[in-house]
Structures are given as C-alpha cells and as structure tokens.
C-alpha cells in the first residue's frame, strides 16, 4: 500500500517528483497555492492553458531539482464541485502522474469538503489499478504503484480508511477479472478460504454432496451442466468485543456465476463475452469481508456466495424442468439463462434462516437493469425505506451511482406464477429487472429487512474513467463497507 504522509515542512521546500494542484474554475486566475507554484498556475490560467474546468489536466515540466513536474487538475465550477467530482479529478490526475513515472507526489487539494481525506486514500489506492498479471513486464503500461503521497494537514486515520476501502475493492477486481478457465466454483471457494486464513475470518464451504443434503436444489440445477460442480461459500466475521443488544448482524449475499454461457438457452456470442464477470457480486462480497476484517466494525458480518458455472452439456438443466429450492418452493424453468435468481433463491433462503438485522444481496442479475440505468449505475430494490435511504447515502458518499427501482408492481407479480409449479423463472422482457427482484423476494422470509442491488452493467467498465479501470469495477465494495461502518 502506498504511504500517505502529512506534509511536515513548507510546500516551498518539498522535494519530490510531482506537485499536483487541484483548482476550481473560479480559483485558477487567483490561485493561492504557495510560492512559486501559485504563480505558475496563475500564469497558465492567464495564458489560457488551464481553466479549472472539470476534466482539465495539464503538466508543466519545471526543469529544477526540487520538483520535476507540476500538474494542475480542474475541479469544475465551485457549486458543482461534489465529493464525487473531487474523487474523479484526483484519481485521474494521480493516474496520469503515475503513468508518467512520477513516484512521489505532493497533492495540494485546497478548499474541499469534509470527506477529503478518505477520498484521497481511495484515489491513491485505486489510481494505479490494472489487471495486468498475464502481460509481459515490458507491456504492463497501465498499472503502477505510487511510493509516497504527501498532503497538507491530513488525518492519517481517514486516509488509511480510504486506502483500506480501495484495497478491498482492488482485491475484488483482481478476482472478478480472472477468466473462467482460472476461477471456477472450486477455485473461488479456495480463494475465499485463503482470504479467511489471512484475515482471521471463518470460512465454510459446502460441496455438492452437502448441497444435496441441505436441499439446495436450485443451485445444484444451475451447476449440473458444468465439469466443476457448484459450491456454497460462507464467510463470517465476528467482532472481538462480546455482543450486546445493539450488536447488529448483517448478511451479504453475492451471485457467484464463475461463467454464464446461458446454459442450453445459450447466449449469442456478443452477450457471452464478459460473462466471466457474472461472479462480480461474489467477489464484491469477498472484498467487503476483507475490508471488514481490516476495519473491525462492531457489527457481525456474514458473506454468503452461491457459486456455479452455467454451461450447456448432456447433464445440464433444461427449459421446462421443475426444480425445488431450499425453502420448498418449486420453480418451472422458462429460460436456463435466468440462472442468477435460481442460485440466489437458495442463498436467500439460507440467509433468511440466519435471522439477520439486514440482508443485502448483490448480483449481476439482469440485462434489463443495465438497459434501464446504463452501465455506470446500479439498481436498488427494497421495500424498506429506511434501508433504502441508508444505502443511497452510503453510495453517494463513496461515489458509486445507485438508483432505486420499484419492486411492488402487482401486475408484474402476477407473472411470477407458473401453470405447473409455484413460480416460473422468466417472463416478459418488459420490466425484467423488477420481475427478477420480485422473484427473489419469494425466497426471503417475511419480516427480514432486505435489499437487492442489481449491478449488471455497473460491474464492468469498457473504458477507464475516474476510480474505475477498464474491466471489473467491483462496484459496491466501498458502498457496502461504508454502510456497515455507518451502523
Ligand atoms: N448474468 C446475466 C445478466 C447480465 C447481463 C449481467 C448483462 C451483466 C451484463 C443473467 O444471468 C441473465 O442472463 N439474465 C437474462 C435474464 C432473462 C433470460 C430472463 C437477461 O438479462 O437477459
Ligand atoms: Mn444468465
Ligand atoms: Zn447470469
């Protein structure tokens, strides 16, 4: 992890590779950064080379011994300068700084909001991320590690919180980016067990025989067409202090499809590409538990992952099959590609039995959610308004876009019914994300406060932007951790 240090001497005397000044549009021409840097920025502004606009970023080589390069990054208009804009500007600037081979940086953040120190930690932790372990050393052009970052008057506890949030998300990305020939249900369980060992969590894994005994019929059905049988992974964090009446229990559930070919209802090739990321939510849950183990909240936290590979094969489940989930409900298979809701049916039944105070389930569940919200925003479904607001607030603080969608649509609810079983796993394309959320609700025991977050789309970035690198985003790790810390 990069070291973030509070600047002890004066800015004028700091020696290092790069000095970064963040400025709002209004501040460029009267930039009050210490000498001589403020003057440089004012001169750039006067010449029209830097205007503080959102996304503007310039480098000035200084040709002196103390500091090699000066960078100026724009934050946009003062009134539009939300914490998310600061996080994006800071990460983008640090990314450029790192790629231009600077290793020590002094960041002058100036007048910004209250969350600045946590945001600095997140930006430093995420700016150099790249999934490049399979590339030759000379070709690893995107990723880097900054050695030392300095900033004025920072609170070390907060920057280190930011770094820990980033570290948890990087861990989740590393795993989510692994392809299906490397990560399958068995190796995902191995990764969870390794994490548990390193972080003092407990880990229990159920193999196919145990799943049979535990009546996890839906998870088994989805996995039966794969050479690698399904697994159920359960990680537990218990706080060190003895529990009191106010100690809460949170259960996180994450869809773990290590690859989703669609099954016998095979996906067309354009849609099958990137389906290695259908385990993103599971990786987020693992990342969140890694974060929890480091941050040691007073809340008991569980992670439940139903892991399977959805493949077509002589043994695969079929359209028309009728399967029985753990809670006894029968499901008619309309489409083998609507498999996420099946593995989650069993996982949510199991999670309900644990009587959590809060149950949060994440999944790359429906293309419909990505169609509705785009590829940068996750969908939030819950009947609990309090939980809804708390999650929206946490997401906002962490700059992960989240938007509530309804799950109380009675007419869509009617279409869950099957002619031959209790439920059917698919229906119309219209309202597909809502249908799926309402399907999941059938497997959560009444009275449990729960939320479903559909991260299809948001889990994978085509291009890098802000804190996101190209590839798996691990959307949700920082939001879940922020939410848990807020309890
Ligand atoms: N894993 C997919 C959803 C998905 C799509 C995630 C795009 C990320 C990006 C899911 O298992 C799926 O295939 N859903 C179907 C459901 C349909 C068959 C009812 C879909 O959304 O098309
Ligand atoms: Mn599918
Ligand atoms: Zn899927």
């Amino acid at each position: 992890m990069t070291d973030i240090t509070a600047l002890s001497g004066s800015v004028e005397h700091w020696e290092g590779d790069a000095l970064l000044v963040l400025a709002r549009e209004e501040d460029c021409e009267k930039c009050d950064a210490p000498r001589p840097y403020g003057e440089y920025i004012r001169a750039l502004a006067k010449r029209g080379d830097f205007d503080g606009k959102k996304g503007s970023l310039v480098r000035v080589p200084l040709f002196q011994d103390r500091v090699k390069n000066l960078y100026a990054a724009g934050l946009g208009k003062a009134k539009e300068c939300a914490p998310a804009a600061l996080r994006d500007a800071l990460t983008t600037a640090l990314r450029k700084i790192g790629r231009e081979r600077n290793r020590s940086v002094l960041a002058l953040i100036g007048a910004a909001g209250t969350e600045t120190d946590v945001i600095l930690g997140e930006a430093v932790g995420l700016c150099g991320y790249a999934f490049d372990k399979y590339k030759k050393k000379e070709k690893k052009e995107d990723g880097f590690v900054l050695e030392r970052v300095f900033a004025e008057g920072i609170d070390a506890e907060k920057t280190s919180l930011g770094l820990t949030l980033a570290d948890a998300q990087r861990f989740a990305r590393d795993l989510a980016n692994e392809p299906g020939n490397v990560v399958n249900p068995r190796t995902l369980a191995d990764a969870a067990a390794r994490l548990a060992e390193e972080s003092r969590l407990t880990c229990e894994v159920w193999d196919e025989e145990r799943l049979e005994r535990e009546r996890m019929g839906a998870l088994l059905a989805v996995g039966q067409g794969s050479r690698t049988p399904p697994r159920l992974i359960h990680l537990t964090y218990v706080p060190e202090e003895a529990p009191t009446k106010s100690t809460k229990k949170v259960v996180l559930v994450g869809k773990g499809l290590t690859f989703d070919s669609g099954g016998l209802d095979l996906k067309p090739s354009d849609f099958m590409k990137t389906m290695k990321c259908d385990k993103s939510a599971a990786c987020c849950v693992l990342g969140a538990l890694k974060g929890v183990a480091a941050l040691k909240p007073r809340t008991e936290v569980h992670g439940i992952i139903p892991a399977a590979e959805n493949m077509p094969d002589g043994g695969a489940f079929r359209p028309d099959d009728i399967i029985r989930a753990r809670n006894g409900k029968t499901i008619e298979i309309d489409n083998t590609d609507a498999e996420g809701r099946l593995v989650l049916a069993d996982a949510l039944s199991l999670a309900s039995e644990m009587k959590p105070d809060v149950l949060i389930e994440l999944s790359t569940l429906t293309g419909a959610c990505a169609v509705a919200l785009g590829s940068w925003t996750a969908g939030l479904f819950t009947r609990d308004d309090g939980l809804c607001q708390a999650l929206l607030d946490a997401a906002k603080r962490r700059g992960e876009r989240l938007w509530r969608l309804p799950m109380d649509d009675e007419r869509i609810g009617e279409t869950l019914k099957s002619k031959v079983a209790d439920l059917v796993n698919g229906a119309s394309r219209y309202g597909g994300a809502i249908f799926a959320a309402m399907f999941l609700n059938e497997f959560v025991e009444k009275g449990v406060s729960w939320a479903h977050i559909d991260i299809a789309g948001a889990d994978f970035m085509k291009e890098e932007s802000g804190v996101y690198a190209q590839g798996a985003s691990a959307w949700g790790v920082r939001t879940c951790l922020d939410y848990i810390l807020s309890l």
Side-chain angles (χ1 to χ4, degrees), residues 255 260 267 275 278 335 337-339 341 364-368 456-457:
K255 169 176 171 179
D260 179 13
K267 285 180 184 292
M275 279 303 137
D278 214 17
N335 192 316
D337 197 11
E339 85 299 333
R341 62 202 72 181
T364 46
L365 200 62
T366 67

